[in-house]
Amino acid sequence: MVTPKFTRPKSTRERLAQHIRVLRHKFWAARYTAFVAFMANTIGRLEHKRYHKKKAAGEKVVVDKVFAPPPKKERYADFDPVPADISPKRAGAARKARSMKIEEYPSVDYGFKYEEPPISGNVLNGLGETEKRRTTQPFFTRGYSGPWNKLERLFQAINKPALANFILNIFWMDRNRLGVVARKQVAVEDPTAMTKEVKSRARIHGADVVGVAPLQEEMRFEGFDLPFKYAISIALAMDRETMVQVPTHETGLHIQKTYKNVGQIAIDLAQDIRKMGWPARACTNISPDTYEVQHIPVAIEAGIGMLGKHGSLITKEFGSNVRLATVLTDLPLAIDGPKDIGVDDFCATCQICSDNCPPDAIFDVKQLVRGQMKWYVDFDTCIPYFVANDACGICIEVCPWSAPGRGPLISKKMLERREKASAKTEK
């Protein structure tokens, strides 16, 4: 389903047509939620029991034989069909951080295997490509339409039914992420003042960090037009005491709860902007039609943080212990712009996340990805561990920036060290 953009209606007829489109979207969302609820509580429960029974018996589920709709192969016809290698690069983590509360990290001996692996997720992500382009969603694709569709389906089967049912709450919440724009438009003479008001509203709704960026081509996923001018990035911190126990069912559930909460903040803020007479759409997580923008590039351009070696955002306030959502809008706003907090300086020599990654999926040096040198995580190595453990998050929790109160101190130290080094070079 193509998500429509709603502008301020010029007539009663146009307004009525937009209301009908909203109702159609909500009907689609309700129908899809009902379908997933039925599948999760019938076939899903049977698959869950079957998987764990086979795992307890030392058998492996063949991913190729998992039920899922066929992928839309024409979307991937231009990619080099390099098969993925899902085997871990080592037998386990090089060490375990003292901050983590579980006794040991789960094994890399997964309860599943491929007979014919799909096209490499690294190829889909553009690893080694010299030209800039939009990225293609390799996982959590709409309608299981990607090459990794069977592992997506298995991921849902592995999760406890309670988690699947909670995710349904997110599906239902997201029916309100778009809507009709008010007829009367608030004039914006001072974008800076309006930005301050929007950020204040976001914080009232519960946001911890807010920033504004221009919506750029590379921020959009392939296949989405998204004719908006600005992107408002919203970050919400997770509970640190809960998250240092990753990966467990409880932490997986907490991640989903945070996704729901930050998504609701984005939905509420988008509704506020539409009431001002300006188009706005909330881009959340999890639901099948919400993977439109890459939240991390938006957050970086909005000055919320920088990309870390572990492939996740690092904020000065909360490290990587956050989840993101985005609001797209045409409301005139002042751009924040990216902020250098010293993450690159720190990650260049730190190996804590790579040492603690059980399948060894984290590169110690930047990689060329779609025409840009950046920190990158080996998709083919990371995602199987993620699937086997109801999500993961080890790397973002062992990150020193994620320790409460450490971020500002690390940032200050890194920037001061760089300044001193620069001064010596000039002499």
Side-chain angles (χ1 to χ4, degrees):
M1 180 177 181
V2 177
T3 309
K5 174 185 176 180
F6 295 100
T7 57
R8 191 160 56 102
K10 299 177 181 179
S11 64
T12 302
R13 183 176 181 179
E14 183 178 345
R15 186 171 186 81
L16 178 60
Q18 289 188 4
H19 276 293
I20 292 173
R21 291 172 74 188
V22 170
L23 288 174
R24 287 176 59 190
H25 178 81
K26 289 186 176 183
F27 175 74
W28 175 87
R31 186 177 62 179
Y32 186 84
T33 302
F35 170 74
V36 174
F38 172 77
M39 294 293 290
N41 289 286
T42 53
I43 296 175
R45 288 180 181 265
L46 294 175
E47 289 180 336
H48 178 80
K49 291 180 180 179
R50 175 174 171 269
Y51 172 81
H52 289 282
K53 184 178 179 180
K54 295 192 85 172
K55 185 178 179 181
E59 302 177 36
K60 291 184 181 290
V61 171
V62 179
V63 180
D64 310 58
K65 297 181 180 179
V66 173
F67 169 76
K72 295 182 178 179
K73 294 183 178 179
E74 66 275 6
R75 290 179 55 194
Y76 307 94
D78 295 333
F79 290 101
D80 189 0
V82 176
D85 180 4
I86 73 167
S87 58
K89 296 177 183 176
R90 63 183 175 208
R95 63 172 170 161
K96 176 177 169 292
R98 287 177 293 179
S99 60
M100 306 305 284
K101 301 303 181 184
I102 58 174
E103 293 184 6
E104 61 180 353
Y105 298 135
S107 169
V108 292
D109 183 18
Y110 311 134
F112 53 83
K113 64 179 181 179
Y114 271 103
E115 289 184 349
E116 295 184 12
I119 182 174
S120 170
N122 296 322
V123 171
L124 299 178
N125 282 331
L127 180 63
E129 291 184 16
T130 59
E131 300 295 326
K132 287 187 176 182
R133 66 167 174 85
R134 295 189 192 184
T135 189
T136 300
Q137 185 76 1
F139 207 71
F140 295 128
T141 51
R142 182 185 296 187
Y144 304 104
S145 58
W148 292 74
N149 64 333
K150 292 184 180 295
L151 194 62
E152 290 180 51
R153 187 70 188 85
L154 183 64
F155 175 65
Q156 292 188 345
I158 291 173
N159 283 320
K160 291 183 179 180
L163 181 59
N165 284 321
F166 181 81
I167 290 174
L168 292 171
N169 292 325
I170 299 178
F171 288 3
W172 184 245
M173 172 193 74
D174 281 341
R175 76 192 190 282
N176 293 319
R177 70 188 194 88
L178 52 85
V180 177
V181 179
R183 286 183 178 179
K184 187 176 180 180
Q185 187 176 77
V186 174
V188 180
E189 298 179 358
D190 185 351
T192 300
M194 177 55 70
T195 302
K196 184 177 180 180
E197 179 181 344
V198 166
K199 289 183 177 181
S200 176
R201 286 174 181 255
R203 292 189 179 96
I204 289 172
H205 290 313
D208 287 317
V209 192
V210 190
V212 179
L215 183 60
Q216 301 171 354
E217 177 69 16
E218 290 80 15
M219 294 174 180
R220 302 168 171 91
F221 276 113
E222 185 64 41
F224 291 96
D225 185 23
L226 304 182
F228 293 90
K229 296 180 180 179
Y230 304 99
I232 304 169
S233 183
I234 300 167
L236 182 66
M238 295 183 286
D239 180 71
R240 172 70 174 175
E241 290 304 310
T242 299
M243 289 303 297
V244 291
Q245 301 176 59
V246 292
T248 63
H249 168 69
E250 288 70 26
T251 56
L253 185 59
H254 180 66
I255 290 170
Q256 300 306 324
K257 287 181 177 178
T258 310
Y259 273 138
K260 182 178 186 296
N261 291 338
V262 74
Q264 187 62 63
I265 294 168
I267 289 171
D268 291 342
L269 183 61
Q271 288 177 336
D272 288 347
I273 294 173
R274 290 195 295 269
K275 288 178 182 177
M276 297 181 195
W278 293 92
R281 178 193 304 174
C283 296
T284 58
N285 301 272
I286 309 302
S287 293
D289 70 332
T290 60
Y291 290 100
E292 301 169 319
V293 297
Q294 299 184 76
H295 297 300
I296 293 178
V298 171
I300 292 171
E301 287 299 317
I304 285 182
M306 298 178 67
L307 185 67
K309 179 182 285 189
H310 46 41
S312 293
L313 185 76
I314 294 179
T315 68
K316 186 162 68 172
E317 298 86 349
F318 305 102
S320 297
N321 194 40
V322 297
R323 296 291 156 170
L324 302 168
T326 304
V327 174
L328 305 179
T329 185
D330 290 336
L331 177 70
L333 297 170
I335 302 301
D336 287 301
K339 294 182 177 65
D340 189 344
I341 59 174
V343 168
D344 278 353
D345 306 62
F346 188 87
C347 289
T349 57
C350 180
Q351 293 183 311
I352 292 177
C353 63
S354 53
D355 283 348
N356 279 267
C357 177
D360 194 21
I362 300 173
F363 289 98
D364 275 323
V365 294
K366 290 187 176 183
Q367 304 293 308
L368 178 62
V369 183
R370 300 189 304 280
Q372 179 183 2
M373 294 300 296
K374 60 190 294 187
W375 298 114
Y376 180 78
V377 175
D378 189 319
F379 179 92
D380 300 350
T381 307
C382 172
I383 205 67
Y385 193 81
F386 172 91
V387 168
N389 293 287
D390 298 349
C392 185
I394 292 173
C395 59
I396 68 174
E397 296 306 328
V398 300
C399 178
W401 292 79
S402 296
R406 289 285 303 280
L409 298 176
I410 296 174
S411 177
K412 182 181 179 181
K413 182 178 180 180
M414 291 298 104
L415 296 178
E416 286 179 349
R417 181 182 296 177
R418 187 197 303 168
E419 187 177 349
K420 290 180 181 178
S422 177
K424 287 183 179 180
T425 302
E426 291 177 359
K427 289 181 180 179

